[in-house]
Amino acid sequence: MGRNRNETPVPALVQPAATSSSTRSYLVRRLQPHLPPWLGVAGLGLTGALGNWRWEGSAAAGVGLTLASVALTGATWWAGKSTSQQRRLHSAITVAAGSAWLTGACLAGPVTGALDDLYLIGGPVIALSWNVRLMLRTSDPAGESADKGLLERVGLARAQIGAAKVEPNRVTAPMLLDAGTQTNDDVAKALPGIASALDVPRTAVRYQPDPDSERRGELVIVPRDMLADTVRWEEAGPAFPGGSITDPLILGVYDDGAPLALWLPGNKKAGRNATHLLIAGMTGSGKGDGALNLMTEILTRTDVIMWLSDPKGFQDFRPLLPAYDWAVEGGADTEIMVEAVKAVIPARTGWLGSHKYRQWEAAAAKPQTDPKHSCHDDGTACGCPGLPFHVVWFEEAGVSLGLLGDDAFNSIANLARSAGMALVVSLQRPSHDQISTTTRDALGGRLCFGVPNATAAGFMLPDSVLDAGAAPERWANRRPGYNYLVTPGIPEERYASPGRTRWFTEESVSLMETVAQWAARNGAKVDPVTDKAAETVAGRAYIDRRRVDVDAPDTEDDDVIDETEPLVDDEDEGIDPEQELPELGDGADAPLVQETGHKPDPAEARQLLAQAIAEFEAAGRMVIGPKDFTDWCDRNGYSRPWVSERLKEAYLEGRLADAGRGRWRIVQQMSHA
């Protein structure tokens, strides 16, 4: 997975700071534009000495030099008509002062009277004034022609590039477009040409428009791909083990070396909204490793619980199973989990509201000892148990959406953020046939890995990010782990900057198992509010959910025989194994279950149906539909339409609740509750 660094030549616009090996050439190149004024002063002094040797005391030479000085000053003023007023005046004063001193030096001698002092003081002042003027210009002459030529080649000839800000492997240059003829969209269209002219990858050039102007923005160029070298997850591990979910979740690095981070809870002081997250990428793009990066970050925080739905049977996440509060493998179990989430949301928002939290914050996860967050009317501290943050993760959500429909996700995606919950939805292609636009927009945050084409990129990334230069289709699955992150809490100019998540190898499994064991012992436990709401809806499916007791002693192997135990049951102790079996009598081969041919009457059928519903409930299957009664219909001679009508009757009686798409959720009876 390791890659060699690409050594790319960097043009004048994007030259980073010089290294020690090129210090001399760098200094020479930087000093060259400032040498002409000093060369002019030196030449003026030499000319004065030669002129004095030739014309000392000559009246005719004095007249000629005076006229020449006046003519040269006038010509300079006239030639400066096309320049700025400041440059015109500066040039004329320089020429007038220099020609006046030269006239005096030629006639009287350069060291006569005050002429030498004027030369030693005035000469450097004149030269330095031009040096200062050069440094205050908006662009460097050494790179001006190259930059102008670059912009001209890409169709932005009238645009202006300001002084570039050079950082390690990142150059940011302000751009000012021609008023009335150029817009920020023109720069977005020209980005491929700029990348070609600079000989860098297309993803190395981005443009961030100024939101307050249609002709201003910043051109960002990253000359060298710092993501080429793969970083293994086990080399660093989780970023903040034992920290809070409010700390940043570090997934990897950006292409300039900055940490790739996101947040799920909101923060009012930081101006950051809570968010859900949509993860997408084609097969082989590194989406699985990216999910593991995020998941291990979440599971090592002490104020968060996680529910997981994975139709792949925990293929990637099995080492982490002890850390989940509830994990299901998809299908009917995911239906139950979704129904539980629907019930948990109002219970959690009610708790937050009664404890005076406008949104979830870290203090909500701790026992409520602060009177400001008390549910008591008298203002005293209530001491209620805290409410941990709650992450619900739907892996390969395209499968779940196909079974449940978009309505199931729409309702929870729009309300869960207010309840201190975050949904993480992961799938390969978030197209309209996989996930609705409403649900996709409600998820907010996007972690986009390589995709097969620009159309797929448009499903994940906003148009403004694509216009700024983001192009995940350029990688496809050839650079696993490369991604774009769009989420609250990071600057918008970072949205179009590629990052890379860390790589999980076979050696990382043992560390993942250690993380899971640590989380099971030290992580947050489900709160009473969430626990009661989920149990009320999901019943045995939640009560008997997958849990791993990390403190339980190792059990004995079932294949090991205890030599102290008898090998034969007591009732079989007198049987001789060598004796022949007795002959079968008449009727001994009759079936144990006789076909009666009896069809239950309507009242009996309703009773049998109610009994079947109770059996589903006892088995933990809390979401059912007519197709689940196929075997029952075959045994009793009834059709699925008949079952559908009876289920509707049970719904009217309050035994079932509508779960959508022709499915029903079993409502626990008081005796069961």
Side-chain angles (χ1 to χ4, degrees):
M1 294 291 293
R3 300 175 187 270
N4 296 326
R5 296 182 182 270
N6 298 324
E7 298 298 335
T8 304
V10 184
L13 172 64
V14 296
Q15 279 289 355
T19 62
S20 58
S21 61
S22 59
T23 301
R24 181 178 301 176
S25 60
Y26 171 77
L27 291 176
V28 170
R29 184 176 62 84
R30 298 300 296 177
L31 289 175
Q32 282 177 350
H34 301 281
L35 291 178
W38 294 94
L39 295 177
V41 171
L44 182 67
L46 181 61
T47 303
L50 293 175
N52 178 253
W53 173 75
R54 176 73 175 177
W55 297 312
E56 183 177 6
S58 173
V63 174
L65 288 172
T66 302
L67 293 176
S69 298
V70 174
L72 182 59
T73 302
T76 302
W77 180 261
W78 173 81
K81 291 176 59 178
S82 60
T83 64
S84 66
Q85 187 68 20
Q86 292 178 347
R87 179 180 291 273
R88 188 183 189 187
L89 183 61
H90 193 184
S91 301
I93 292 174
T94 300
V95 170
S99 59
W101 183 90
L102 180 63
T103 300
C106 289
L107 297 177
V111 295
T112 301
L115 287 176
D116 53 350
D117 294 330
L118 290 174
Y119 178 81
L120 294 175
I121 297 174
V125 169
I126 293 294
L128 285 173
S129 69
W130 283 99
N131 290 161
V132 170
R133 186 180 188 89
L134 180 62
M135 288 188 292
L136 293 179
R137 292 179 59 183
T138 58
S139 60
D140 187 352
E144 183 178 10
S145 60
D147 300 344
K148 285 295 183 181
L150 167 66
L151 296 179
E152 185 175 358
R153 288 197 298 272
V154 298
L156 300 173
R158 296 185 178 181
Q160 299 179 18
I161 294 183
K165 177 184 178 183
V166 180
E167 303 170 279
N169 198 45
R170 183 184 179 93
V171 177
T172 305
M175 288 192 66
L176 177 63
L177 305 179
D178 186 51
T181 63
Q182 296 173 337
T183 66
N184 290 326
D185 290 339
D186 296 325
V187 182
K189 296 175 183 178
L191 290 180
I194 296 175
S196 174
L198 298 178
D199 194 20
V200 295
R202 167 67 176 82
T203 54
V205 182
R206 277 98 66 180
Y207 180 70
Q208 185 63 41
D210 186 338
D212 298 325
S213 174
E214 190 56 40
R215 56 187 289 253
R216 297 178 184 271
E218 289 185 335
L219 185 66
V220 180
I221 302 171
V222 180
R224 181 170 57 84
D225 185 6
M226 295 183 66
L227 306 178
D229 291 337
T230 302
V231 178
R232 296 170 179 259
W233 174 78
E234 62 268 20
E235 293 177 357
F240 297 97
S244 170
I245 190 64
T246 57
D247 296 323
L249 305 171
I250 308 299
L251 309 184
V253 296
Y254 283 105
D255 58 351
D256 60 355
L260 181 69
L262 64 86
W263 292 261
L264 294 176
N267 187 321
K268 183 178 180 180
K269 293 182 180 180
R272 184 183 71 244
N273 292 326
T275 188
H276 306 310
L277 185 66
L278 175 62
I279 305 176
M282 65 185 298
T283 301
S285 64
K287 178 170 63 71
D289 280 2
L292 284 172
N293 274 280
L294 177 58
M295 194 169 287
T296 51
E297 285 290 297
I298 295 173
L299 293 176
T300 51
R301 310 304 169 88
T302 58
D303 51 4
V304 58
I305 62 173
M306 179 179 287
W307 290 356
L308 170 67
S309 167
D310 184 7
K312 297 189 299 183
F314 316 116
Q315 181 179 6
D316 295 328
F317 309 132
R318 188 163 297 276
L320 298 172
L321 275 180
Y324 305 121
D325 179 70
W326 188 10
V328 299
E329 296 188 10
D333 291 334
T334 298
E335 283 187 292
I336 300 172
M337 179 176 285
V338 171
E339 292 300 314
V341 172
K342 291 180 182 178
V344 162
I345 289 174
R348 290 174 62 92
T349 53
W351 187 95
L352 290 170
S354 65
H355 288 83
K356 304 175 182 63
Y357 289 102
R358 297 193 62 183
Q359 66 175 352
W360 187 92
E361 55 189 73
K366 302 175 182 179
Q368 301 303 292
T369 57
D370 188 347
K372 293 189 299 183
H373 294 292
S374 174
C375 61
H376 291 171
D377 294 334
D378 58 5
T380 60
C382 61
C384 293
L387 189 79
F389 196 74
H390 192 172
V391 176
V392 186
W393 189 300
F394 294 96
E395 183 66 17
E396 294 297 341
V399 177
S400 302
L401 285 165
L403 294 173
L404 305 178
D406 290 317
D407 292 340
F409 277 66
N410 286 342
S411 59
I412 60 179
N414 289 319
L415 300 174
R417 290 189 302 130
S418 301
M421 301 176 69
L423 304 182
V424 180
V425 177
S426 175
L427 70 168
Q428 291 189 13
R429 179 184 173 90
S431 54
H432 63 275
D433 57 339
Q434 293 284 318
I435 183 172
S436 72
T437 303
T438 303
T439 302
R440 192 166 62 228
D441 292 343
L443 293 176
R446 311 290 172 84
L447 182 59
C448 179
F449 292 86
V451 295
N453 50 55
T455 302
F459 292 135
M460 276 294 289
L461 299 176
D463 292 341
S464 59
V465 178
L466 296 174
D467 292 341
E473 70 277 7
R474 299 279 176 172
W475 311 319
N477 57 4
R478 294 182 296 275
R479 296 185 179 181
Y482 279 57
N483 65 83
Y484 291 104
L485 178 61
V486 178
T487 185
I490 62 175
E492 291 187 7
E493 56 267 22
R494 281 285 186 191
Y495 288 172
S497 299
R500 190 175 193 181
T501 56
R502 294 166 292 183
W503 181 33
F504 282 72
T505 65
E506 293 182 358
E507 288 76 14
S508 66
V509 173
S510 60
L511 182 55
M512 292 170 62
E513 292 173 343
T514 302
V515 167
Q517 300 287 334
W518 181 92
R521 292 187 176 95
N522 303 288
K525 308 303 179 186
V526 63
D527 57 279
V529 173
T530 302
D531 189 64
K532 181 179 179 181
E535 181 180 339
T536 301
V537 170
R540 303 302 309 179
Y542 176 77
I543 297 172
D544 300 333
R545 64 193 184 277
R546 178 188 297 273
R547 285 175 175 169
V548 180
D549 187 358
V550 295
D551 296 318
D554 294 337
T555 58
E556 294 183 354
D557 193 339
D558 293 339
D559 295 333
V560 178
I561 299 176
D562 187 354
E563 296 181 355
T564 63
E565 294 183 357
L567 301 179
V568 181
D569 294 336
D570 293 339
E571 61 270 22
D572 298 333
E573 190 172 354
I575 298 178
D576 183 1
E578 301 297 332
Q579 184 179 357
E580 295 290 338
L581 292 175
E583 297 290 336
L584 293 176
D586 294 338
D589 59 347
L592 296 177
V593 180
Q594 300 290 337
E595 294 291 340
T596 62
H598 169 70
K599 181 177 181 179
D601 58 41
E604 185 181 359
R606 290 185 176 87
Q607 184 177 0
L608 290 174
L609 187 67
Q611 181 179 352
I613 293 175
E615 291 174 356
F616 281 124
E617 180 181 0
R621 294 185 59 181
M622 302 299 291
V623 180
I624 58 177
K627 66 179 181 180
D628 298 309
F629 290 85
T630 301
D631 295 339
W632 186 91
C633 291
D634 293 340
R635 289 196 306 268
N636 296 282
Y638 283 87
S639 64
R640 287 175 58 177
W642 184 89
V643 172
S644 296
E645 291 299 323
R646 303 292 80 76
L647 293 177
K648 291 179 181 178
E649 293 177 2
Y651 163 70
L652 296 175
E653 294 170 359
R655 185 68 173 99
L656 301 177
D658 187 5
R661 295 174 63 89
R663 306 287 287 171
W664 307 94
R665 176 173 59 82
I666 299 174
V667 177
Q668 296 187 84
Q669 296 177 335
M670 290 301 297
S671 59
H672 295 288

